[in-house]
Amino acid sequence: MPANLQSTFDVAQFEALLASRNEPEWLTSRRHEAWQSFETAEQPDWRRTNLKGFNLADYSVAEAEVSVEFAGAEGVTILPLAEAIQSHAELVQRVLGSAVQTSRDPYSALNNALVNGGLFIHVAKDVAVEELVRIRYHVANAGTIVAPRTLIVTERHSSINVIEEISSADFDASAVVLTGVEIEVGDGGQVNFSSVQILNSNVYVLGSQQIRINRDAQAEWLNVVVGSAVQHVTLEANLSGNGSSVNWNGLLYGNGKQNLLVAPKLNHIGLNTEGQINFKTVVDDEAYAVFDGMVKIPATGQGTNSDLRENALHLSKTSRSDSIPGLEIDANEVKAGHGSTSGQIDEEQLFYLQSRGLPFAEAKRTIVLGFVGEIIDMIPDEAVRERVETIVADKV
Amino acid sequence: MSANNLVIRNLHVAVDGKEILKGINLTIEEGKIHAIMGPNGSGKSTLAYTLAGHPRYEVTEGEVWYKGQDVLDLEPNDRSKLGLFLAFQYPVAVAGVTVANFLRAALNAHRAQEGVDPKSTAIPMAEYRKVIKSRMDMLEMAPDFARRYLNEGFSGGEKKRLEILQMAMLQPSISIMDETDSGLDIDALKIVAEGVNKVKTEKPELGVLVITHYQRLLNYIKPDYVHVLMNGQIVREGGPEMALELEEKGYDFIREEVFGNAS
Ligand SMILES: Nc1ncnc2c1ncn2[C@@H]1O[C@H](COP(=O)(O)OP(=O)(O)OP(=O)(O)O)[C@@H](O)[C@H]1O
Ligand SMILES: [Mg+2]
């Protein structure tokens, strides 16, 4: 890959995108800024993400197909992002770019230059939304680069439960998804957000997600990653408000040549915040998965209660996983635990199941499905859960 | 001799290159209850695991026959299908796998026949629910037990009870119980022992090998034979009265007689 990214992506595509929109000045100038940053940035030093053979010149800008399933409720606004830019300019301006930061790396910059499609969800104060909001981004064609963005803003004492599924058609050539999820949970409220990535095994995924959790608010966050060729996604939970909390679970399941990376960052910024991270990783064949975690407790984070768990299962000799659970503590009254394990299927478990009559292959399968089942069972939508189960059952 | 006896001849077993069993000869007779007693580290669990086919235990010499089959030639799951059951001394936890789902899979594995669609031999759900409920009632287990993950977070006593539930579900014809009494309080011991006896009443041909350190269990599960395992060999055999004698005198007197010293 050339060191200079500018040569890899045609500025004409960017200009065409700009020309096709009638956007407010602030957004246009942000896009220009992002584009400039992309043009001048150096190739990031990602040692754990394999971008060999990846060339942006191979892709042309398109929009992901967006679908939303939600009956509607008083106090809930769900709009295409393009509309929200006009109707909810102030909110969008504040939240857009909180996760996908132009300065982070050139792909984040490109993501902000090209962001197109996507959804904006707003919940008014004191509104508790019972129904699950189902959104889905679907990549229909190979050779495309899409940049859908999900924005969720809830006002105080409101709650909502959203699942975002990213899927693709079953094409053989590759495509690129620049993802972004940017969420703000209002005081005393709750957001449950599940992101499920089931792209076909030729797609590249680069992006960021962030949840900012305000005073006494809570988030349940689920990240399920079973698809794509290469994924590099930064995840950030900011426990900004005093007394805020997050319960955060995830699964990476790679086989074939998949290279899947998540980088969850948990920032205990407020007083008396609570965060739990529990991720599971399975790798088979020649897959390589990375959990690049970081828990930060700055001096402001007195009374923090933090726990990070990561367990990896290796099903083949040629599969690999890296777990990098970082911990940075600058406050003195905190509880912070972390633990990670990695290894093959336990021989004692295998023997135990076999001794009850299960053939070797079924015993192995049972153990793997049990290992991932704890996370998959958390997917709140039955249809999505079944799609993930089918993919996982195929992998085992 | 009946083909339904389990016959162990001159069995030598090594673990990590170290010989643990040094020529075991033992026949578990159809419908009989055998007890094996012996000091810690004498090789009791090694014998149990070897019979069940644990890959870590290497048979260096000897043979095991059951129902006309060379047991040592079979995979652990095929030994189970042949009718062998081991209640583990230390049952293994498997996260994410519920007791109910696991036991159904085990039952279906037992019912499966080569070349036949497993769907056609699988136990119907309604029937399965009935069976597991009646077995759990018998062992006085709360219904939510079936929804818990296999041995995950179980107390010592709950684990042992689950072993017997599995035995009651799978209806083996040879059951090896490795210190099933350890970790059980008196009430639980009674329930578990009664459970074993009920299975035995339903299936009189069941042969049982009880491994224990305590006479207590043998008050409930009455052995026909008692064998003493010491230093990888069966050094004594007798009737139920021998368990009482061992409880009273310990193993030293046997050690002295067999090996000529008491250390
Ligand atoms: N996996 C193993 N690795 C190394 N040594 C082993 C292993 N399993 C058994 N042994 C050794 O073999 C010997 C017999 O062990 P075994 O577990 O069969 O004894 P046991 O009679 O069941 O004892 P206990 O009454 O304590 O349960 C011991 O010296 C033990 O340390
Ligand atoms: Mg033992």
Side-chain angles (χ1 to χ4, degrees):
Chain A
M1 178 132 197
N4 182 0
L5 285 156
Q6 179 189 4
S7 62
T8 64
F9 195 77
D10 192 353
V11 68
Q13 288 210 54
F14 172 64
E15 279 163 358
L17 178 86
L18 275 186
S20 71
R21 327 224 138 189
N22 185 16
E23 287 175 341
E25 161 55 26
W26 66 266
L27 185 53
T28 310
S29 76
R30 274 203 202 180
R31 287 187 190 275
H32 275 294
E33 225 172 88
W35 177 262
Q36 226 140 50
S37 189
F38 166 71
E39 274 193 316
T40 51
E42 296 200 4
Q43 181 67 13
D45 178 28
W46 287 347
R47 281 168 300 141
R48 295 184 169 87
T49 295
N50 184 3
L51 292 178
K52 232 177 261 151
F54 176 65
N55 191 343
L56 285 167
D58 299 340
Y59 308 96
S60 52
V61 171
E63 273 192 42
E65 292 168 9
V66 183
S67 61
V68 180
E69 262 182 73
F70 182 63
E74 182 83 33
V76 183
T77 310
I78 303 182
L79 292 171
L81 190 57
E83 271 177 48
I85 286 163
Q86 312 287 350
S87 63
H88 293 72
E90 210 173 305
L91 281 181
V92 174
Q93 197 165 353
R94 185 175 83 217
V95 179
L96 189 73
S98 55
V100 184
Q101 294 159 12
T102 293
S103 59
R104 181 176 279 141
D105 59 64
Y107 300 105
S108 300
L110 187 65
N111 194 336
N112 278 337
L114 298 183
V115 55
N116 62 348
L119 290 163
F120 170 82
I121 299 175
H122 179 259
V123 186
K125 75 176 158 71
D126 299 324
V127 173
V129 186
E130 296 290 329
E131 190 194 349
L132 175 67
V133 178
R134 300 165 172 87
I135 65 184
R136 183 172 175 198
Y137 300 119
H138 185 76
V139 184
N141 298 307
T144 56
I145 180 166
V146 301
R149 187 81 54 97
T150 300
L151 263 59
I152 303 174
V153 179
T154 65
E155 304 297 337
R156 70 186 140 88
H157 302 305
S158 64
S159 64
I160 194 165
N161 188 357
V162 179
I163 180 167
E164 178 200 86
E165 181 185 15
I166 302 189
S167 63
S168 67
D170 198 13
F171 43 76
D172 290 329
S174 69
V176 183
V177 183
L178 301 174
T179 59
V181 172
E182 317 192 298
I183 299 174
E184 206 179 284
V185 190
D187 290 353
Q190 168 142 14
V191 170
N192 297 353
F193 183 77
S194 311
S195 110
V196 176
Q197 191 267 83
I198 55 169
L199 290 158
N200 81 48
S201 58
N202 301 304
V203 179
Y204 288 81
V205 188
L206 306 165
S208 306
Q209 303 184 6
Q210 187 194 84
I211 302 188
R212 177 194 162 97
I213 307 159
N214 290 328
R215 188 165 50 81
D216 297 326
Q218 302 171 21
E220 290 272 341
W221 196 358
L222 178 67
N223 297 94
V224 173
V225 178
V226 296
S228 79
V230 175
Q231 136 149 354
H232 183 111
V233 171
T234 303
L235 306 167
E236 206 167 13
N238 287 335
L239 293 165
S240 307
N242 296 346
S244 58
S245 68
V246 63
N247 180 23
W248 192 357
N249 296 281
L251 168 68
L252 298 180
Y253 196 135
N255 68 332
K257 290 183 186 303
Q258 285 182 299
N259 172 199
L260 308 176
L261 176 145
V262 286
K265 317 282 173 197
L266 176 57
N267 299 316
H268 291 271
I269 300 155
L271 282 174
N272 302 321
T273 62
E274 260 184 58
Q276 268 140 29
I277 301 184
N278 173 31
F279 269 66
K280 298 204 174 188
T281 300
V282 180
V283 279
D284 201 352
D285 306 324
E286 291 163 56
Y288 175 41
V290 183
F291 174 91
D292 186 1
M294 173 61 84
V295 174
K296 274 193 186 166
I297 309 174
T300 54
Q302 297 295 5
T304 286
N305 195 342
S306 190
D307 191 59
L308 184 159
R309 307 276 136 194
E310 197 265 340
N311 303 99
L313 194 54
H314 295 209
L315 300 182
S316 69
K317 288 209 166 66
T318 44
S319 58
R320 286 185 302 141
S321 75
D322 283 333
S323 173
I324 312 146
L327 201 54
E328 254 181 55
I329 306 181
D330 290 314
N332 47 18
E333 270 169 53
V334 301
K335 260 201 266 176
H338 72 104
S340 78
T341 64
S342 86
Q344 284 144 342
I345 289 192
D346 182 34
E347 203 187 48
E348 300 305 323
Q349 290 184 339
L350 264 179
F351 174 66
Y352 189 61
L353 301 194
Q354 282 178 280
S355 79
R356 301 311 188 226
L358 269 57
F360 175 85
E362 196 189 339
K364 179 178 157 185
R365 209 180 149 79
T366 302
I367 293 166
V368 175
L369 292 178
F371 181 78
V372 302
E374 282 187 287
I375 305 292
I376 293 175
D377 286 349
M378 296 176 189
I379 298 174
D381 179 65
E382 200 179 319
V384 178
R385 193 166 57 239
E386 275 169 15
R387 282 195 278 279
V388 171
E389 278 168 352
T390 306
I391 292 170
V392 166
D394 263 5
K395 287 176 182 246
V396 186
Chain B
M1 213 198 280
S2 165
N4 293 336
N5 292 346
L6 181 114
V7 180
I8 303 165
R9 283 198 204 106
N10 188 32
L11 186 67
H12 290 253
V13 174
V15 179
D16 296 335
K18 182 181 161 215
E19 183 165 66
I20 307 290
L21 297 185
K22 302 165 180 169
I24 301 279
N25 289 292
L26 176 68
T27 297
I28 303 171
E29 292 177 21
E30 179 179 13
K32 298 289 193 219
I33 295 177
H34 297 250
I36 289 196
M37 304 182 81
N40 293 130
S42 56
K44 302 181 298 295
S45 293
T46 302
L47 175 62
Y49 275 129
T50 304
L51 293 177
H54 194 297
R56 196 185 305 121
Y57 298 85
E58 186 203 349
V59 176
T60 53
E61 214 183 316
E63 50 194 333
V64 179
W65 290 90
Y66 185 55
K67 291 185 180 166
Q69 296 237 42
D70 179 353
V71 172
L72 299 177
D73 234 24
L74 299 176
E75 293 297 319
N77 54 308
D78 290 325
R79 298 183 196 199
S80 172
K81 286 182 78 169
L82 190 62
L84 244 68
F85 181 86
L86 169 62
F88 283 54
Q89 181 173 2
Y90 304 110
V92 181
V94 188
V97 179
T98 62
V99 168
N101 285 345
F102 168 58
L103 275 174
R104 188 153 58 94
L107 267 187
N108 285 337
H110 277 250
R111 295 160 66 111
Q113 292 159 27
E114 222 171 271
V116 180
D117 179 6
K119 279 198 193 87
S120 70
T121 57
I123 183 166
M125 204 54 198
E127 188 187 332
Y128 173 67
R129 286 213 186 93
K130 239 170 56 198
V131 176
I132 190 168
K133 182 173 185 315
S134 78
R135 297 292 159 174
M136 286 176 67
D137 288 349
M138 176 179 95
L139 292 165
E140 297 184 21
M141 299 167 91
D144 72 334
F145 209 85
R147 291 190 292 272
R148 290 175 65 183
Y149 295 148
L150 215 50
N151 290 314
E152 182 91 348
F154 281 27
S155 73
E158 286 171 333
K159 286 182 187 172
K160 295 306 172 81
R161 224 180 266 218
L162 176 61
E163 293 298 287
I164 300 310
L165 174 66
Q166 296 182 46
M167 174 189 155
M169 294 291 288
L170 295 175
Q171 299 267 315
S173 49
I174 294 280
S175 179
I176 303 160
M177 295 164 50
D178 192 356
E179 294 196 29
T180 301
D181 50 344
S182 70
L184 292 180
D185 61 38
I186 300 282
D187 293 340
L189 179 76
K190 235 161 135 174
I191 293 162
V192 161
E194 274 166 20
V196 173
N197 287 331
K198 268 185 218 161
V199 175
K200 175 104 178 73
T201 312
E202 289 167 12
K203 194 167 179 173
E205 69 270 31
L206 172 68
V208 182
L209 183 65
V210 185
I211 297 171
T212 182
H213 287 290
Y214 306 105
Q215 161 63 25
R216 197 176 64 154
L217 175 69
L218 303 180
N219 288 333
Y220 298 102
I221 302 176
K222 297 211 158 53
D224 298 292
Y225 309 100
V226 175
H227 313 263
V228 178
L229 186 62
M230 216 178 255
N231 195 23
Q233 284 176 310
I234 305 253
V235 295
R236 268 298 148 82
E237 285 175 310
E241 70 290 345
M242 212 168 70
L244 291 166
E245 192 187 357
L246 288 170
E247 179 117 313
E248 196 186 313
K249 298 200 207 160
Y251 294 106
D252 276 357
F253 81 99
I254 299 182
R255 200 174 276 136
E256 211 163 322
E257 280 176 33
V258 178
F259 302 105
N261 65 61
S263 60

